[in-house]
Amino acid sequence: MVTENLTVVNNNGKLLEKDDDGPERTTAFADNDMWVRWNSHFIDCIRDDKPPLISLADGLRVIAVSEAAYRSLKERREVQVDYSALGSAIRAEGKAQP
């Protein structure tokens, strides 16, 4: 259940959750090597000069949706997702590709 004061933190294989209704809860994930894989992929992309699995435009879309969700919660109203930064990111990615 989601409450106004819900906090969820992914702490390297442990999910910490605290809300209005009670004590902090912890869920552990065995063999969580997500951060290791992400960092390895990032380093491989730099070393081998290859594009990342997630593009700059995709990352900006995620940020735009997250910001809109946060604004909607804060202002308690529906808000539009602002994708205005995507144009320059897509143009930049197009120039970066051979």
Side-chain angles (χ1 to χ4, degrees), residues 74-92:
K74 184 177 178 183
E75 297 175 10
R76 297 186 179 276
R77 66 179 184 88
E78 184 177 309
V79 299
Q80 292 290 100
V81 177
D82 178 7
Y83 291 116
S84 61
L86 283 176
S88 60
I90 291 170
R91 284 190 297 279

Side-chain angles (χ1 to χ4, degrees), residues 19 23 27 29 41 43 47 52 65-66 71 78 86 91-92:
D19 62 22
T27 304
F29 298 95
H41 173 67
I43 292 167
R47 184 182 328 117
V65 170
S66 297
R71 229 175 98 216
E78 184 177 309
L86 283 176
R91 284 190 297 279

Side-chain angles (χ1 to χ4, degrees), residues 1-7 17-23 25:
M1 179 167 96
V2 177
T3 65
E4 188 170 327
N5 294 313
L6 175 67
T7 302
E17 176 189 350
K18 174 75 173 108
D19 62 22
D20 296 334
D21 297 331
R25 291 174 292 283

Side-chain angles (χ1 to χ4, degrees), residues 5-55:
N5 294 313
L6 175 67
T7 302
V8 178
V9 177
N10 181 348
N11 187 8
N12 231 5
K14 289 185 181 178
L15 189 67
L16 308 173
E17 176 189 350
K18 174 75 173 108
D19 62 22
D20 296 334
D21 297 331
E24 179 177 286
R25 291 174 292 283
T26 302
T27 304
F29 298 95
D31 300 323
N32 182 0
D33 64 349
M34 175 182 64
W35 300 114
V36 172
R37 288 183 290 138
W38 277 355
N39 289 326
S40 293
H41 173 67
F42 178 72
I43 292 167
D44 289 345
C45 288
I46 293 169
R47 184 182 328 117
D48 300 334
D49 194 26
K50 64 181 183 180
L53 294 174
I54 299 172
S55 69

